[in-house]
Amino acid sequence: MKNIKHVLLLPLLLAIGCAAPEEKTQNTIEPMGRKNFQTYCNPIDIDYTYMSHYRANNNVSYRSGADPAIVNFKGKYYMFVTRSHGYWTSDDMSNWRFIRPQSWYFNGSNAPAATVRDGKILVLGDPSGRGAVIETDNPDLGDWTTNFAVINMPNGTQDPMLFTDDDGKVYLYEESSNKFPIHGVELDPDNYFVPKGEQVDLLQLHPEKHGWERFGQDHRSDIKPFIEGPWMVKHGDTYYLEYGAPGTQWNVYADGVYTSKSPLGPFTYADYNPISYKPGGFLKGSGHGSTVQDNNGNYWHYATMAISVNFKFERRIGMYPAGFEDNGQMYVNTAYGDYPHYLPDTEVDAHKERFTGWMLLSYNKPVSTNSGLVTKDINVVDESASGYMQEQITDFSINSINDEEIRSYWVSEANNDSIYVEVDMEKPMDVKAIQINFQDFNSKIFGRPDTLKQQFTIEASLDGKSWKTIADYSKNQRDMPHGYIELEAPVEARYIRYNHVYCTNEYLSISEFRVFGNGKEALPETPANFQVKRQKDRRNADLTWEPVEGATGYVIYWGIEKDKLNLNALMYGEPGYELRALNTDNGYYYQVEAFDENGISKRSEVMYTK
């Protein structure tokens, strides 16, 4: 566990109407209470919007949050997300409040751009791809105004990014295509932000050289990949132009970067690409993101993560510590990226290493419920036959609730306050946090109704007979689809029980009930006999090692410099991995470690392939 300094754990507020003081549980919450957490857990737990723009032709209901554009404006963070009918603000990256602006895009913004200039936030995100820049100096009110000057690019403006340079000049970068490259053009802020000159082609995909740019699950499709979602960061005198590839619905959705000394190039491919990559674990993918500096001077990368069950564009948002090495190499640390991490205002020894060390205690453990299993057919938009989506998982049994696969989920036959789900961790553990990930099975909700909420309690027991309530959200009025609960102090328990009270959807459906903390036994052994063999196709390498007894899983690390193994992949169970994300022109260094409920092993020796 990392050394945490100068942080006090503040007790959460009591819920209205809860038990008398002598019967307080560890975590109770006001109906609209503020979280006082040190940690967060991906996906970030915001009230994601139910998509409505495809309702007329398929009537499939699903939440989504994607393509985050986040800016720091006067010490507060504002996050603009595709088709959300508004945006979110936070002062700590933990408590996010949705803003219904006074004026906004009628159909929701699509992959919006955002930048700060001269005391205002500028946004560009008209869903038609042909719109004007809008602006406000009061984003909390949202009195957005427009100059009506449509920015009319030859093929429309797709996935735009607005960048304000140190000299006040404004640039537009855009594209979302498997045909066109990322373009850039300077805009004239003194003349309605109309383009100054013609667009410049800046960069495009080269999947024949860059393994991570190949389309499909694990880069195994021959469909031409997509380039999209540019985002510009200036660090020192270098411009870092980020871009997303190869497709938002896949586990390998990632962000890469090109660098230049000029905002319009020429740009050079970074040999350490990709920068943001998360192909394994519970929630996969980390592409089409934005990078923002917090109030402490540290960088964070917000990215799009895939679910793709109800529709291929069913997505969520993750946040990861990011930054720049001494040699200018950009990094995004996604290791254990869907386990609890410390928030920006929690002081740690090194910003790059914010993982709490709280391990997953519930993976594939015995689980039971008193509810029958639903037998309904699914109502989804299934594009798996065309190669643009994974096949559906239609086993809705209770064992889907802790398999660490967000695309599988348990569906209860009933939805009432007598339902429970109980996990037996098989040994006493120190429980420190809980995450409940609700899913939308045959939902009929669209848009942003004010009625959305989830109500429940969490109980703990050492013997399965005597129970103690450790979190009481029975009167909660917040919409928390990925409810993350950090306990005030560790609770020793073998059994954890979710007691359902209410959810707005017709069906109670949970994709994952996750328990975090630490076991009480020795750390796992370091994987032995670690071997790496680069394939004839240099984009791929085979990594193997001996199984570690009792290991929950493994994490591999790689990079082009021995002391900068900034890329990683987590896998459960299997002692081996085919890495398909390499660049043909580089040699690589590799390591592997094992993990279980007790913690993480020492890493193996470093291997190298030319």
Side-chain angles (χ1 to χ4, degrees):
M1 179 173 171
K2 303 302 175 188
N3 181 28
I4 309 304
K5 298 173 285 188
H6 312 308
V7 177
L8 295 177
L9 277 172
L10 301 177
L12 292 178
L13 298 173
L14 279 176
I16 295 174
C18 281
E22 65 270 19
E23 298 175 356
K24 286 180 184 177
T25 60
Q26 272 214 24
N27 287 73
T28 55
I29 189 166
E30 280 189 290
M32 297 298 289
R34 180 180 174 89
K35 295 178 291 185
N36 292 295
F37 292 171
Q38 293 186 92
T39 63
Y40 72 96
C41 188
N42 285 323
I44 62 172
D45 186 27
I46 60 174
D47 48 339
Y48 295 92
T49 301
Y50 282 88
M51 300 292 101
S52 300
H53 53 294
Y54 293 123
R55 184 178 187 181
N57 68 327
N58 63 40
N59 204 39
V60 171
S61 165
Y62 67 100
R63 291 181 188 258
S64 188
D67 317 322
I70 181 169
V71 295
N72 187 332
F73 180 68
K74 298 182 179 179
K76 292 175 66 175
Y77 311 103
Y78 293 86
M79 182 169 62
F80 303 87
V81 176
T82 286
R83 305 278 186 175
S84 294
H85 306 292
Y87 44 91
W88 286 264
T89 185
S90 175
D91 60 4
D92 59 3
M93 294 191 185
S94 176
N95 293 279
W96 290 94
R97 176 176 62 88
F98 186 77
I99 295 175
R100 296 179 183 267
Q102 218 178 51
S103 53
W104 195 243
Y105 299 99
F106 281 112
N107 294 321
S109 59
N110 195 67
T115 190
V116 175
R117 185 181 188 275
D118 287 348
K120 295 181 179 181
I121 298 181
L122 313 179
V123 165
L124 181 64
D126 193 293
S128 70
R130 301 184 186 276
V133 170
I134 63 175
E135 61 183 28
T136 184
D137 62 1
N138 189 355
D140 286 349
L141 175 64
D143 55 342
W144 297 86
T145 59
T146 179
N147 57 42
F148 302 103
V150 173
I151 297 178
N152 193 16
M153 295 292 100
N155 296 297
T157 303
Q158 309 298 330
D159 285 17
M161 192 279 159
L162 294 172
F163 170 66
T164 302
D165 206 348
D166 300 335
D167 57 8
K169 292 183 179 180
V170 179
Y171 298 86
L172 167 65
Y173 307 90
E174 61 87 26
E175 193 52 82
S176 175
S177 170
N178 63 353
K179 179 179 179 181
F180 302 110
I182 298 292
H183 316 283
V185 67
E186 184 180 352
L187 304 182
D188 189 345
D190 299 319
N191 185 30
Y192 308 108
F193 294 98
V194 298
K196 297 178 71 172
E198 300 296 321
Q199 276 188 326
V200 180
D201 293 347
L202 299 178
L203 57 100
Q204 58 188 353
L205 299 183
H206 296 280
E208 72 284 355
K209 296 177 64 178
H210 309 149
W212 71 274
E213 293 179 349
R214 289 176 288 181
F215 197 67
Q217 192 76 356
D218 296 316
H219 307 295
R220 295 185 183 278
S221 172
D222 292 329
I223 293 175
K224 193 173 181 180
F226 288 77
I227 189 170
E228 53 196 5
W231 185 267
M232 178 67 83
V233 177
K234 187 178 184 181
H235 180 69
D237 64 350
T238 303
Y239 297 85
Y240 293 78
L241 182 53
E242 303 171 23
Y243 66 104
T248 189
Q249 63 271 52
W250 306 117
N251 67 323
V252 291
Y253 195 38
D255 280 330
V257 68
Y258 278 66
T259 63
S260 178
K261 298 300 182 182
S262 168
L264 291 178
F267 283 89
T268 301
Y269 181 78
D271 290 335
Y272 50 80
N273 272 323
I275 54 167
S276 179
Y277 189 69
K278 189 183 180 302
F282 167 58
L283 199 68
K284 305 170 184 69
S286 57
H288 193 144
S290 58
T291 304
V292 65
Q293 199 166 18
D294 68 20
N295 295 325
N296 303 309
N298 296 315
Y299 287 94
W300 294 83
H301 189 70
Y302 283 71
T304 305
M305 311 177 82
I307 296 180
S308 300
V309 169
N310 290 295
F311 187 43
K312 65 184 177 185
F313 294 145
E314 182 182 16
R315 298 164 291 179
R316 297 294 189 267
I317 296 168
M319 60 180 275
Y320 309 95
F324 301 88
E325 305 283 11
D326 291 342
N327 65 353
Q329 176 176 333
M330 189 175 184
Y331 71 83
V332 176
N333 188 358
T334 65
Y336 300 94
D338 47 40
Y339 286 22
H341 278 59
Y342 288 112
L343 284 160
D345 292 336
T346 305
E347 189 175 346
V348 297
D349 289 338
H351 169 66
K352 187 178 182 180
E353 306 292 341
R354 286 188 169 267
F355 177 36
T356 59
W358 302 353
M359 309 309 295
L360 183 65
L361 310 180
S362 50
Y363 174 63
N364 277 353
K365 296 296 176 64
V367 59
S368 60
T369 180
N370 63 343
S371 177
L373 185 66
V374 77
T375 57
K376 301 283 185 179
D377 291 332
I378 55 176
N379 179 36
V380 302
V381 181
D382 190 348
E383 297 185 17
S384 57
S386 64
Y388 281 90
M389 190 174 176
Q390 291 188 78
E391 292 184 358
Q392 293 290 326
I393 300 173
T394 55
D395 176 7
F396 305 134
S397 68
I398 191 61
N399 292 323
S400 298
I401 208 169
N402 62 342
D403 62 357
E404 281 297 280
E405 172 53 71
I406 199 168
R407 299 187 69 254
S408 68
Y409 47 98
W410 166 69
V411 184
S412 171
E413 184 179 43
N415 180 0
N416 57 56
D417 60 6
S418 67
I419 299 168
Y420 69 82
V421 174
E422 184 179 311
V423 176
D424 176 4
M425 297 181 294
E426 300 183 309
K427 298 176 183 178
M429 308 274 189
D430 289 331
V431 176
K432 300 177 180 178
I434 308 287
Q435 187 190 48
I436 308 106
N437 299 272
F438 295 92
Q439 177 54 286
D440 294 297
F441 174 80
N442 288 6
S443 171
K444 298 178 182 177
I445 300 172
F446 294 90
R448 296 192 59 85
D450 294 328
T451 57
L452 302 179
K453 60 187 177 183
Q454 301 79 23
Q455 296 175 332
F456 55 87
T457 65
I458 304 294
E459 293 181 304
S461 173
L462 276 169
D463 59 8
K465 298 176 182 178
S466 178
W467 294 87
K468 176 185 178 182
T469 300
I470 60 173
D472 188 350
Y473 283 63
S474 60
K475 299 184 185 302
N476 171 57
Q477 298 297 314
R478 287 193 300 115
D479 181 20
M480 41 193 298
H482 296 277
Y484 175 66
I485 304 163
E486 174 192 305
L487 302 183
E488 289 181 29
V491 173
E492 185 180 33
R494 171 175 167 174
Y495 302 89
I496 297 292
R497 178 185 285 174
Y498 167 91
N499 295 303
H500 185 62
V501 176
Y502 175 83
C503 67
T504 312
N505 265 318
E506 178 180 357
Y507 295 97
L508 169 60
S509 178
I510 299 177
S511 66
E512 207 76 10
F513 181 41
R514 310 175 79 207
V515 182
F516 295 101
N518 295 101
K520 300 174 181 291
E521 300 178 355
L523 299 180
E525 296 292 327
T526 300
N529 195 25
F530 180 43
Q531 301 289 329
V532 183
K533 183 178 180 181
R534 199 127 180 206
Q535 296 180 10
K536 183 177 181 180
D537 182 342
R538 288 179 53 79
R539 298 173 296 181
N540 309 329
D542 294 310
L543 287 71
T544 59
W545 54 89
E546 296 294 330
V548 174
E549 184 178 359
T552 303
Y554 307 90
V555 177
I556 61 168
Y557 298 88
W558 71 95
I560 62 172
E561 296 185 48
K562 190 174 184 179
D563 62 343
K564 297 179 181 64
L565 305 187
N566 291 334
L567 291 162
N568 71 88
L570 181 151
M571 63 222 66
Y572 289 97
E574 294 299 322
Y577 188 75
E578 184 184 18
L579 176 57
R580 298 174 57 83
L582 304 180
N583 300 307
T584 58
D585 295 344
N586 298 108
Y588 284 92
Y589 296 89
Y590 316 81
Q591 274 185 303
V592 64
E593 66 190 18
F595 66 91
D596 63 14
E597 293 102 333
N598 306 296
I600 303 169
S601 75
K602 292 182 179 179
R603 291 190 190 181
S604 70
E605 63 178 321
V606 176
M607 303 296 293
Y608 178 76
T609 63
K610 293 183 179 180

